[in-house]
Amino acid sequence: MGPLSHAAPPERDGDGALLQLREVTRMFGGLAAVKDLDLAVPAGSIFGLIGPNGAGKTTVFNLITGANPATSGHVLFGDHDITTQPAYAINRLGVARTFQNTRLFKTVSVADNVRTAASWQAGYGWLHGVLQGLVYARREADLNATVMALLEAFDLADKAREQAQSLPYGEQRRLEIVRALATRPRLLLLDEPAAGLNATETNELMQLVHRIRDERGVTILLIEHDMRLVMGICEQIAVLDHGIKISEGGPADVRGDPQVIAAYLGQQEPEHAPS
């Protein structure tokens, strides 16, 4: 792969977007996994990113979070150009993510899974840890309170001491989201959060996503193949195919777009099957 190309970032368009991708391309050898992508995610929105397998959706998440650098173009988050920032710096600015396959610490307690994510905000250095001083003890107490408050808010407090691997799969999914929230993100990226969930768990997930946005003010960008979930909770949707954005708009617009139907959705089924 050739050298990265990043000219001066374009002017912000002032549309209230928290996240902007401007002409972003990611090459892997001679293959463009994402090509000239423009995307603006409004602050406070629930935004969907959909498309067939291999369309480049997870690559977009990797570009946003610093896992893979863009070959060209710019990724803007709030007032920051994060195009070349490392993953830890992007996280500290307020971007968190989950993964298609849960990446919990399976043999660690539920509480300690959340604690690992929240601990960087505790604010004490190694000297406090060595001396076990009053400041360290106070901050440890505050950290524990933060962890338990999160678990209580998302109905996991009674499982705090259990190993993460002992939770039902739906609760493991929820725990991964709670762990991401422990970093106090402004933007939460959810990579196929409904994968492996049954209908009841998917309904609960939809309510959870709304709660996170409405109660915590977190902007949400999600990748998902469950079209009932996407069309049910996303205010705006972008569609990728072979790394190129082929459609963007509200759920009704995207669902009726001939390009989207041909590339991904196929023949539309009625909203309610006849009884």
Side-chain angles (χ1 to χ4, degrees), residues 142-164:
D142 290 344
L143 178 59
N144 290 335
T146 296
V147 169
M148 291 310 300
L150 275 169
L151 293 177
E152 185 71 37
F154 294 98
D155 301 322
L156 288 170
D158 61 335
K159 307 289 182 67
R161 296 185 179 181
E162 297 184 19
Q163 289 187 354

Side-chain angles (χ1 to χ4, degrees), residues 79-141:
D79 295 327
H80 302 273
D81 185 338
I82 61 173
T83 312
T84 59
Q85 292 293 307
Y88 73 86
I90 294 171
N91 177 254
R92 293 200 172 193
L93 286 173
V95 180
R97 75 174 292 180
T98 66
F99 294 85
Q100 181 178 350
N101 299 311
T102 57
R103 297 190 181 182
L104 298 170
F105 301 116
K106 301 279 190 182
T107 60
V108 172
S109 74
V110 167
D112 282 344
N113 265 274
V114 179
R115 182 186 175 89
T116 59
S119 61
W120 71 266
Q121 297 193 48
Y124 51 77
W126 67 270
L127 186 57
H128 289 120
V130 171
L131 299 179
Q132 297 286 299
L134 180 61
V135 172
Y136 171 82
R138 184 183 302 119
R139 288 174 175 169
E140 279 287 284

Side-chain angles (χ1 to χ4, degrees), residues 162-236:
E162 297 184 19
Q163 289 187 354
Q165 65 184 358
S166 71
L167 298 181
Y169 187 71
E171 290 186 349
Q172 289 188 33
R173 282 283 186 188
R174 197 189 322 157
L175 175 57
E176 188 171 39
I177 293 173
V178 172
R179 187 174 65 177
L181 290 175
T183 66
R184 299 182 183 177
R186 297 165 61 198
L187 173 67
L188 177 61
L189 310 181
L190 302 176
D191 192 347
E192 295 197 36
L197 302 186
N198 60 37
T200 298
E201 291 168 334
T202 298
N203 287 335
E204 292 173 349
L205 173 66
M206 293 171 72
Q207 296 173 18
L208 176 61
V209 171
H210 272 295
R211 279 185 58 200
I212 293 169
R213 192 274 302 274
D214 296 343
E215 298 177 7
R216 295 177 178 267
V218 177
T219 302
I220 295 172
L221 174 61
L222 65 88
I223 294 170
E224 186 52 65
H225 285 292
D226 187 325
M227 287 300 100
R228 185 175 69 88
L229 183 151
V230 172
M231 300 297 173
I233 66 173
C234 293
E235 292 118 1
Q236 193 166 359

